[in-house]
Amino acid sequence: MDENKKPNGIKMWALLLLLLAMILCTIGGAYAYITAKTQEISNRFTPVAVTCKVEESFDGAVKQNVRIRNTGDIDAFIRAMPVFTWVDGEGKVLSDVPVAGTDYNIELGSEQWKKGSDGFWYFSAAVAPNGTTEQMIQSVTPLKAPAGYQLQVQIIATAIQADPPAAAESAWGVTVSGQTITPP
């Protein structure tokens, strides 16, 4: 037997170690190249704002020209609820609720406002950013009030994104077809 010849097992181990060293060098080199040559990419996610604002005017004790403005940055569906109460000079609210036709007259606005079974009035079309609804209420005029009280009419308005339609459908229980909303 030749003494210079090494057994096959040692050659195999040497070959495996050499191959492993080559793989580690390749991975290390690729990692060094990627971290040194590529720029960081940040994911910029900007959420939308869905907000609204009641716009109205007063002529003495008469509230008039009630509209809702979409103050957000995306098309939105808008709903509103007028709340009628008697309030005294100190801001205390009387438990008696004012009655339309007896305590005050109300002239409704556009027919695009539809009353839902939940007490809200829904504007039937989506409103563009910075756009307004058509007139919800033309005017509210007080007729008579309990002694020491005056009629207060607050408009509570909310907005929800028009796209995707499922947002309004699940949150408000409405039906949406295109850019049109039907109240519950």
Side-chain angles (χ1 to χ4, degrees), residues 84-88 91-98 145-150:
F84 300 88
T85 54
W86 297 118
V87 179
D88 69 9
K92 294 179 184 172
V93 177
L94 185 64
S95 62
D96 293 339
V97 177
Y149 288 89
Q150 63 181 2

Side-chain angles (χ1 to χ4, degrees), residues 30-50:
Y31 177 76
Y33 177 79
I34 289 171
T35 57
K37 296 292 182 183
T38 59
Q39 295 178 348
E40 182 178 314
I41 298 174
S42 60
N43 185 6
R44 294 185 182 104
F45 177 76
T46 305
V48 297
V50 184

Side-chain angles (χ1 to χ4, degrees), residues 3 16 24 35 61 74 104 111 132-134 150 154 156:
E3 290 181 11
L16 281 174
L24 289 175
T35 57
I74 188 171
Y104 64 91
E111 291 183 9
T132 60
T133 65
E134 290 186 12
Q150 63 181 2
Q154 294 178 328
I156 299 172

Side-chain angles (χ1 to χ4, degrees), residues 4 14 23 25 28 42 77 88 90 95 97 102 108 119 121 139-140 150 159 178 183:
N4 290 339
I23 290 172
C25 287
S42 60
F77 290 119
D88 69 9
E90 296 176 7
S95 62
V97 177
T102 302
L108 297 175
W121 286 81
S139 66
V140 176
Q150 63 181 2

Side-chain angles (χ1 to χ4, degrees), residues 153-171:
V153 182
Q154 294 178 328
I155 309 297
I156 299 172
T158 60
I160 192 165
Q161 66 191 45
D163 188 33
E169 290 174 335
S170 73

Side-chain angles (χ1 to χ4, degrees), residues 31-79:
Y31 177 76
Y33 177 79
I34 289 171
T35 57
K37 296 292 182 183
T38 59
Q39 295 178 348
E40 182 178 314
I41 298 174
S42 60
N43 185 6
R44 294 185 182 104
F45 177 76
T46 305
V48 297
V50 184
T51 57
C52 63
K53 175 184 172 188
V54 176
E55 295 182 348
E56 58 197 4
S57 57
F58 296 93
D59 182 13
V62 178
K63 181 183 286 252
Q64 54 192 8
N65 196 25
V66 177
R67 299 171 188 268
I68 316 298
R69 179 172 298 279
N70 176 358
T71 55
D73 56 11
I74 188 171
D75 288 357
F77 290 119
I78 294 176
R79 69 181 183 174

